[in-house]
Amino acid sequence: MHIAILTFEGFNELDSLIALGILNRVKKPGWRVSIASPSARVKSMNGVVLEAQASLAEASAADAVIVGSGMRTREVVADTALMAQLRLAPSRQLLGAQCSGTLVLAKLGLIAGVPACTDLTTKPWVEEAGVTVLNQPFVARGNVATAGGCLASQYLAAWVIARLVGIEEARSAMHYVAPVGEKEDYVSRAMRNITPFIDTPLATA
C-alpha cells in the first residue's frame, strides 16, 4: 500500500510533514509513505530541503495521493509539462489535497462540480477555477478529499488511514500524536471532522 505526498518547490512543511508523520504511525506490512517530487530535491518556503522518495510517475500509480501546498503552487499549475505527469484518477486511488493543493486538483478537473476546502489565500484562485469553497477544514466526496488550513493536514492523514485500513487505526494514529492531557478531546475532534465522509474502504485495499 503506497501513499504519496506530492511536494513541490516552495512547499509548506506543515502540510507535507504532518501528514507524513501521522501516516507513518500505521505499522502494516507493505505500508509505504513517500514524499513524491518532480526533482531529486525540493526546498520549502522556509528553506528546508527534502530529498524525494518517489517520482511523480510512482505517485500516479500509488493507492493514495495527497497533494501538498506551498508558495509556488500557481507556478506548478501553470507548468503544463509538470501537470501532464500527474495521472491521478479517483476511480482507482484516494486523492487528497491540502490548502493550495486543492488548486492542483481543480486544474486537473478532479473536483469539478464538487465543493472543496482550501486556505484563505488560495480561495479566490480555486473559486476562479470554478470550484465552490467551503468555510470548514475538511470535506470529502467519494475518493476525493480536500482540507483547508495547515493543521487540517491531520484530517487528511486520518481520512486516508480510515479509508485504507480502518477507523480504529485512524483513531490510534491520532491518539499517538495528540498532546498529552488533551488526547481524548483531540481524537474526538479529528474523528468528528472525518467520520461523516468515511465511505466504503478503497477497492484496492
Side-chain angles (χ1 to χ4, degrees):
M1 190 68 66
H2 183 202
I3 301 93
I5 303 171
L6 295 185
T7 303
F8 302 101
E9 193 71 17
F11 71 92
N12 184 319
E13 303 94 339
L14 292 175
D15 294 345
S16 290
L17 298 181
I18 288 176
L20 179 78
I22 294 173
L23 287 163
N24 270 312
R25 293 312 310 161
V26 174
K27 305 301 181 185
K28 298 278 188 184
W31 184 266
R32 174 189 173 205
V33 185
S34 301
I35 295 293
S37 303
S39 57
R41 291 179 178 83
V42 285
K43 183 182 291 187
S44 78
M45 59 194 297
N46 293 306
V48 176
V49 177
L50 290 183
E51 290 192 3
Q53 300 166 303
S55 66
L56 297 186
E58 289 176 286
S60 294
D63 300 283
V65 178
I66 291 176
V67 186
S69 77
M71 63 187 298
R72 298 176 63 178
T73 305
R74 284 192 292 175
E75 294 176 36
V76 170
V77 299
D79 187 333
T80 54
L82 191 160
M83 291 289 281
Q85 296 178 60
L86 301 178
R87 301 181 182 278
L88 308 179
S91 61
R92 59 178 173 80
Q93 58 192 171
L94 294 182
L95 299 178
Q98 174 67 36
C99 291
S100 65
T102 299
L103 183 61
V104 175
L105 292 189
K107 292 294 188 178
L108 289 172
L110 296 172
I111 49 175
V114 177
C117 297
T118 190
D119 63 282
L120 298 180
T121 300
T122 308
K123 179 181 177 180
W125 307 329
V126 172
E127 290 178 331
E128 187 178 72
V131 177
T132 299
V133 175
L134 303 174
N135 184 32
Q136 62 192 57
F138 179 85
V139 69
R141 295 290 187 275
N143 286 345
V144 181
T146 53
C150 299
L151 296 181
S153 55
Q154 63 186 301
Y155 302 144
L156 270 182
W159 176 78
V160 168
I161 294 170
R163 289 292 311 278
L164 293 181
V165 291
I167 194 73
E168 289 310 313
E169 285 279 358
R171 286 182 185 277
S172 177
M174 293 304 300
H175 188 272
Y176 183 91
V177 302
V180 172
E182 300 178 355
K183 289 188 178 291
E184 297 308 318
D185 288 344
Y186 203 89
V187 172
S188 294
R189 182 174 66 249
M191 294 302 105
R192 188 166 62 245
N193 275 287
I194 70 167
T195 50
F197 307 107
I198 300 299
D199 299 310
T200 56
L202 189 64
T204 58

